[in-house]
Amino acid sequence: MALAYNNDDQRKSACGIVVEPTTKRKKLRESMENTIIIPDDVLRNILSRLSAKPLMRFRCASKHWNSLITDPHFMNSRSRRMILMHSSLAGLCAFDPKHQNVVKLTYPFEHQIYGCKIIGTLNGIVFLVLQKGMFGACTLILYNPLTRATKEVPGLPPPCCRISAINGCLYGFGHGNIIIGKPTCICPSRRTYNNCNVFSLKNGSWSTPKTTFVGGPEFVQKVGMFLDGFLHWIACSMFDEFYIVVLDVTEMRPFDKYIRKTNTLGRSSFAKITILKIYIPRKKFNQKCAPPVFSTIAPLLDDSQLTLAVAVAEMLIKKIAFLAFSPVSKMRKLLEMDLVFFRDPYGHRLIPRAHEPTRKPTHELAPELTRRPVKSWIPQKRSIRPLAFLYRAELEPAPTYLQGKHKDVTYHRWARHSLELRGQVTFCKSVRGVWPDKRYGETTKEGQEVVTEEDQETPDLREMIAAEVGEALHDMLSGYFAQMKDELKKEMRSQVEAVVEASVAARPGGSGGSGGGQPRVTTYKDFSACQPPQFNGQKDPVASSRWISEVEGVFLTSSCSEEVKARYASNLLRKAAKDWWNLINRTRTPEQIATMTWEQFKEQFKEQYQYVPQVEVERLTGEFLAMKQTTETVNEITDLFLERSLFCPDYVASERMKMYRYAEVLKPEIREFVVMAECKTFHRMHEVARSRELELKR
Amino acid sequence: MSKKTLTLMSKDKQLFNIEEHLAVQSVTIRNMVKEDGASSVIPLPRVDSETLALVIEYLNRQQAPEEDEDYVKKFVDERGEIPTLLELAQAALDLDIKKLMDAACMKVADLIKDFTLEEVREALRIENDRTPEEEKAIRDEFQWAF
């Protein structure tokens, strides 16, 4: 047998048969009759089909296996594009556009994660900003979801590691640099970012280049998207216009040319990105309507089905800008009307698309919109191309042996170039299912043409189309908003009527009709006329208790009856709070929900939003005791002092103790003055400190 | 296509006949046929006769293209032992039959994915050449995987 083997070697290699090169293995075979020799190709093929858990486990099996598994080429070959997302409800998860499924990821820490933001990805490493615990500071983490290895970026600059900085700072990642913009408050609602801290992964150090964004943009989207060497943020000007702020990462220089005030679609010469600017007057989004959320799409996991729950998302893809709209409302009618607008810059067509979570064709939805004569402003020679297809052409093909459906695949290599912007692809891909098959054919045929024709475009035509697209989009949107509002109103009215009827029917002897002796029933209209505040679900005991007391105030003013209080109040919950409320209501019957009293509601609410674990209290106490005024003004530090003192009442039990602590906090130059003044009350002390501060500034 | 038959020889010198148009599903055989007309016997020195019989059974399948996927899956499922599957995968690798190779590997991966380390070593007869310290180091690092 051995002889035959040797003779055949030459022939085999000529014919392309893979010859096992290791003589050592042959020997092994002779010595151990039972050993199965698995060729490396077979072994690799098998291993590539395993999920992360067994793979990491089998690293221990033998040295050979370990070397196969840890081989970078092996890891690369099994990489796949996934879209990383984070939502407060579902946690960190990855969406696989190919199989349309979602993989839940573990957080890099065992701690309870309070806040998380995905800044960017590079070769499978994810950059996250995490806030550990409710009152924890922020840390920047490099995280490999496959091996779950983490590395903390050392020394986050002071204002960015503070509490609540996770939402306050501006983030971006590109070209190996992590950029964190420090907020500067002008007034509570507006923040500008003038100095950026840059962490270079190459040098492993922080630097602070001088960067000024002209015009004081208010960033509505805190995490920038990196594209073609530029970071992009969506911002809002003082005139309520949304536009895109562009930052050159290599030179750390923002392009103020992008801040334009005309409703045109222009082609920028420097970044080669077409931008569609959209006006959405913010007045249209008043408190009663769905609030505008400008962010990347944050899908929620709901019975393993991907439902998109984003109010408005404007995004930027390579040469494609599109707007997606979908109200947060849980009302079914509105959910069905989720719309995705795609603007295909090559086909010059705005394609309104109905999108349903079940991914069934739903052409009958939103008929008013599809019926609009879009054709009039579309150059006829171009045909429609679904955006998803354009996008697919730009993606590299996935390795062929990953064709099988792996439910438990946990391998991710987000974004080879960190180009595909989380979320955007989700939209394209999920809409693909809605598309009629016929159109695919067209696209494949013309796929080549798309790329080649793009540059021959005359700028005039582009400009013209731009204006038209913008106008049409604007018209459409306003129509849609009006429709949505009507829908909401109708829904509200019917609900209120139902409630009123129910309460009338429930009243004993209430059949006497609407006689004058009957006590007046508070409708939801009366209730909302008092403008009760909304609650977004921030895990802040102060904010939540304030909300409770404000709502109780509204109950008093509108003389609300006991049975409707809980229902009215639950209508005020928004975002995370609404999600929480829906979650706990799942376990209840409709009668239980209907008969819930305000006290029961409050109890549930407090449990969720006002419970502060003892550990946190202790930590906060420590923070309170260590508090010192540094760069803050007296007013700022006082607010912070009072806020924190709420959690450690022992230390501020009496006015004198409070004053003593307060003096400790202040800067030395202010403190000596304040102590000298021998104030009688805390209030007086604050006044003295403030006047001293003004004096020092003079 | 002509109904020419080819002869394959397994490593224990057994001969198997197969029609040429079926045999060319294997890329290796196709190349051989192209090169020298494959007048003589094609030796397969790493494939034993049992496995070759299986491969030939697979190549002889008469399935419509759309049912092919299911057939391969079923074919592999019926031979659910790991050693057989590995032999099959190796034969498929030598003969370059992609579908069979992928299906066999998929099945093996399915079988071993819930195995513990010891079970996998036993099932695939892997010799443990790691010291306990090395093993412990990996275990500690990837505790979640064990």
Side-chain angles (χ1 to χ4, degrees):
Chain A
M1 186 200 108
L3 197 72
Y5 202 107
N6 287 336
N7 287 346
D8 282 326
D9 265 4
Q10 236 178 345
R11 182 189 166 87
K12 271 195 314 178
S13 50
C15 305
I17 297 181
V18 185
V19 182
E20 200 64 46
T22 46
T23 47
K24 195 177 152 197
R25 301 189 123 222
K26 254 188 258 172
K27 272 181 208 160
L28 234 152
R29 186 171 204 163
E30 281 155 24
S31 64
M32 297 172 67
E33 200 53 48
N34 267 346
T35 312
I36 311 167
I37 302 293
I38 312 166
D40 281 358
D41 285 337
V42 174
L43 204 54
R44 247 182 240 126
N45 198 329
I46 293 170
L47 291 178
S48 71
R49 286 154 200 284
L50 288 171
S51 56
K53 216 167 167 177
L55 206 59
M56 291 297 124
R57 186 163 62 219
F58 295 161
R59 275 184 63 182
C60 274
S62 76
K63 277 183 184 160
H64 185 62
W65 278 49
N66 186 32
S67 66
L68 279 183
I69 292 169
T70 49
D71 179 35
H73 291 291
F74 171 74
M75 282 295 185
N76 262 354
S77 69
R78 47 179 304 128
S79 72
R80 44 201 297 153
R81 276 164 190 280
M82 297 194 104
I83 300 151
L84 189 64
M85 295 162 300
H86 175 262
S87 74
S88 54
L89 200 68
L92 205 58
C93 48
F95 176 72
D96 183 350
K98 193 169 163 142
H99 304 307
Q100 302 252 328
N101 61 3
V102 177
V103 184
K104 207 165 182 323
L105 301 179
T106 44
Y107 280 115
F109 290 103
E110 300 284 314
H111 302 272
Q112 198 208 342
I113 303 291
Y114 178 61
C116 173
K117 265 197 166 57
I118 304 155
I119 303 179
T121 64
L122 178 75
N123 289 341
I125 308 285
V126 186
F127 300 91
L128 298 171
V129 178
L130 290 178
Q131 188 180 342
K132 287 182 252 176
M134 196 187 291
F135 303 103
C138 289
T139 41
L140 186 61
I141 305 279
L142 311 184
Y143 177 47
N144 183 343
L146 176 63
T147 59
R148 304 190 195 183
T150 55
K151 192 172 189 298
E152 201 169 308
V153 170
L156 214 59
C160 307
C161 56
R162 272 224 327 248
I163 297 173
S164 81
I166 190 152
N167 292 321
C169 283
L170 195 67
Y171 302 100
F173 168 73
H175 276 328
N177 290 331
I178 298 167
I179 292 152
I180 294 185
K182 282 186 279 187
T184 327
C185 276
I186 296 179
C187 66
S189 65
R190 289 186 74 88
R191 278 197 173 124
T192 56
Y193 299 84
N194 277 333
N195 277 319
C196 288
N197 283 304
V198 180
F199 183 81
S200 158
L201 288 178
K202 205 166 142 195
N203 310 334
S205 60
W206 288 97
S207 58
T208 317
K210 204 140 184 74
T211 316
T212 311
F213 294 107
V214 180
E218 184 187 355
F219 289 84
V220 275
Q221 178 209 27
K222 293 287 165 19
V223 178
M225 291 179 217
F226 185 66
L227 187 69
D228 286 351
F230 297 89
L231 265 170
H232 302 77
W233 285 276
I234 297 166
C236 177
S237 76
M238 277 140 106
F239 309 102
D240 280 355
E241 294 161 353
F242 293 100
Y243 57 91
I244 291 162
V245 176
V246 179
L247 181 75
D248 183 343
V249 178
T250 43
E251 293 172 36
M252 285 302 291
R253 188 160 58 90
F255 283 103
D256 49 341
K257 270 186 195 169
Y258 258 90
I259 304 168
R260 284 176 298 196
K261 288 195 175 64
T262 48
N263 186 8
T264 55
L265 169 88
R267 187 166 178 167
S268 90
S269 55
F270 35 88
K272 287 191 179 172
I273 293 164
T274 320
I275 286 184
L276 178 65
K277 287 214 307 175
I278 299 146
Y279 287 92
I280 304 166
R282 284 211 291 184
K283 280 163 209 148
K284 293 212 172 183
F285 288 102
N286 59 12
Q287 292 289 300
K288 282 165 198 159
C289 223
V293 177
F294 285 83
S295 67
T296 44
I297 290 156
L300 303 174
L301 281 178
D302 181 49
D303 298 334
S304 81
Q305 200 172 55
L306 197 73
T307 47
L308 301 164
V310 150
V312 178
E314 186 202 46
M315 265 151 294
L316 189 109
I317 311 183
K318 207 172 190 179
K319 296 178 192 129
I320 298 167
F322 69 87
L323 171 88
F325 182 78
S326 139
V328 184
S329 168
K330 290 281 173 197
M331 288 175 197
R332 210 180 130 57
K333 266 187 195 166
L334 285 176
L335 252 184
E336 276 177 356
M337 279 171 52
D338 293 2
L339 277 180
V340 181
F341 288 89
F342 282 144
R343 196 193 145 270
D344 171 358
Y346 307 120
H348 298 300
R349 172 144 190 182
L350 190 76
I351 311 159
R353 269 287 122 189
H355 171 74
E356 205 191 37
T358 48
R359 296 201 291 272
K360 276 182 197 154
T362 50
H363 303 291
E364 65 277 14
L365 295 173
E368 306 83 284
L369 275 166
T370 38
R371 239 190 285 126
R372 280 186 68 96
V374 269
K375 268 190 184 154
S376 57
W377 44 271
I378 297 166
Q380 291 298 315
K381 61 167 188 167
R382 310 265 173 156
S383 60
I384 315 145
R385 274 175 220 94
L387 186 67
F389 224 93
L390 279 176
Y391 211 81
R392 203 160 79 167
E394 282 163 16
L395 298 177
E396 58 186 3
T400 43
Y401 52 78
L402 287 171
Q403 274 167 0
K405 225 175 180 160
H406 307 263
K407 282 281 177 208
D408 57 344
V409 180
T410 357
Y411 308 97
H412 320 283
R413 188 163 161 266
W414 289 274
R416 168 162 293 194
H417 313 289
S418 72
L419 257 190
E420 72 272 47
L421 315 162
R422 305 171 296 275
Q424 286 85 331
V425 191
T426 321
F427 242 105
C428 307
K429 293 285 176 177
S430 54
V431 160
R432 208 175 69 193
V434 182
W435 220 270
D437 285 331
K438 218 178 90 198
R439 292 191 182 158
Y440 275 112
E442 287 176 21
T443 318
T444 32
K445 259 187 270 162
E446 286 163 15
Q448 265 331 93
E449 185 199 359
V450 170
V451 186
T452 48
E453 279 197 11
E454 183 242 328
D455 287 329
Q456 299 163 6
E457 198 104 44
T458 57
D460 292 351
L461 181 65
R462 214 167 241 281
E463 211 63 44
M464 202 180 72
I465 296 158
E468 275 178 311
V469 167
E471 249 168 58
L473 188 65
H474 187 248
D475 288 355
M476 261 184 185
L477 270 178
S478 51
Y480 184 58
F481 287 138
Q483 187 195 350
M484 199 184 79
K485 253 175 153 178
D486 286 352
E487 201 77 42
L488 261 170
K489 271 186 203 155
K490 229 185 278 170
E491 192 76 24
M492 282 299 182
R493 213 170 295 140
S494 67
Q495 274 190 0
V496 166
E497 272 166 12
V499 165
V500 170
E501 265 171 44
S503 60
V504 167
R507 208 177 299 273
S511 55
S514 55
Q518 189 93 14
R520 206 174 150 277
V521 178
T522 315
T523 61
Y524 189 73
K525 203 173 162 193
D526 299 333
F527 177 67
S528 49
C530 299
Q531 294 180 341
Q534 298 184 343
F535 185 69
N536 288 336
Q538 55 271 43
K539 288 234 175 193
D540 179 357
V542 184
S544 49
S545 60
R546 262 182 217 149
W547 183 75
I548 285 280
S549 61
E550 277 171 46
V551 169
E552 278 178 342
V554 171
F555 284 152
L556 202 69
T557 332
S558 61
S559 57
C560 227
S561 61
E562 192 56 48
E563 60 263 40
V564 292
K565 276 182 182 177
R567 258 174 305 167
Y568 286 2
S570 65
N571 262 340
L572 298 172
L573 301 177
R574 291 283 176 276
K575 294 181 191 174
K578 192 78 187 168
D579 294 333
W580 161 77
W581 183 242
N582 286 335
L583 196 75
I584 61 165
N585 272 349
R586 267 191 216 168
T587 55
R588 295 205 183 122
T589 59
E591 292 87 58
Q592 272 177 320
I593 297 169
T595 55
M596 178 180 270
T597 63
W598 172 242
E599 287 308 315
Q600 284 167 334
F601 178 89
K602 244 181 9 186
E603 201 176 297
Q604 291 270 4
F605 184 86
K606 278 186 177 164
E607 215 170 90
Q608 173 72 11
Y609 289 106
Q610 296 190 354
Y611 170 69
V612 187
Q614 190 53 39
V615 189
E616 292 298 345
V617 171
E618 276 162 22
R619 234 179 50 75
L620 207 77
T621 311
E623 239 166 53
F624 174 70
L625 292 179
M627 219 167 114
K628 284 273 179 278
Q629 181 186 13
T630 49
T631 52
E632 301 93 339
T633 64
V634 166
N635 283 346
E636 278 168 6
I637 199 79
T638 310
D639 287 348
L640 204 63
F641 176 85
L642 289 175
E643 194 182 305
R644 286 188 183 173
S645 67
L646 288 179
F647 294 94
C648 18
D650 296 350
Y651 289 94
V652 286
S654 66
E655 188 80 5
R656 183 136 303 276
M657 275 169 88
K658 193 167 165 187
M659 280 158 70
Y660 170 72
R661 281 248 66 88
Y662 182 63
E664 289 285 293
V665 168
L666 294 172
K667 274 185 199 167
E669 61 263 37
I670 298 176
R671 185 178 20 190
E672 52 186 345
F673 194 80
V674 168
V675 173
M676 291 291 284
E678 286 179 359
C679 310
K680 290 276 186 305
T681 61
F682 178 77
H683 186 67
R684 174 76 195 134
M685 205 162 166
H686 174 218
E687 269 176 18
V688 173
R690 177 77 186 137
S691 62
R692 175 66 184 157
E693 184 189 37
L694 293 174
E695 191 68 32
L696 283 171
K697 267 190 192 162
R698 212 178 274 172
Chain B
M1 204 174 276
S2 64
K3 290 265 175 181
K4 207 174 150 192
T5 44
L6 296 176
T7 311
L8 308 179
M9 185 175 71
S10 67
K11 79 174 177 197
D12 40 3
K13 303 279 193 253
Q14 283 202 35
L15 299 178
F16 292 86
N17 288 332
I18 182 166
E19 284 175 26
E20 189 185 307
H21 72 277
L22 292 172
V24 292
Q25 291 175 64
S26 145
V27 180
T28 313
I29 294 179
R30 193 190 306 157
N31 289 341
M32 281 172 153
V33 170
K34 258 190 214 159
E35 266 175 35
D36 56 352
S39 50
S40 58
V41 174
I42 300 172
L44 298 166
R46 288 207 293 179
V47 186
D48 61 24
S49 52
E50 288 158 43
T51 317
L52 191 55
L54 278 181
V55 173
I56 287 184
E57 187 191 332
Y58 169 77
L59 290 178
N60 277 325
R61 74 197 188 284
Q62 303 286 334
Q63 232 69 35
E66 56 266 24
E67 289 169 21
D68 212 43
E69 296 270 302
D70 293 340
Y71 175 81
V72 182
K73 216 173 260 172
K74 223 178 111 207
F75 181 84
V76 173
D77 276 351
E78 280 166 13
R79 288 147 192 91
E81 294 95 45
I82 288 175
T84 323
L85 285 170
L86 287 175
E87 290 285 337
L88 202 59
Q90 188 181 336
L93 175 74
D94 285 357
L95 289 165
D96 204 347
I97 311 170
K98 202 170 175 328
K99 268 187 194 167
L100 187 60
M101 163 102 170
D102 284 352
C105 290
M106 186 74 225
K107 181 74 189 162
V108 176
D110 270 357
L111 287 171
I112 66 171
K113 83 173 176 227
D114 295 327
F115 279 18
T116 63
L117 205 51
E118 289 69 31
E119 281 169 337
V120 129
R121 280 197 191 123
E122 202 194 321
L124 302 184
R125 315 251 165 77
I126 307 164
E127 198 190 0
N128 185 11
D129 52 1
R130 289 201 163 253
T131 59
E133 290 82 48
E134 280 174 337
E135 197 177 317
K136 195 177 172 299
I138 295 183
R139 263 177 200 272
D140 287 347
E141 194 182 339
F142 299 102
Q143 218 152 29
W144 52 271
F146 286 89

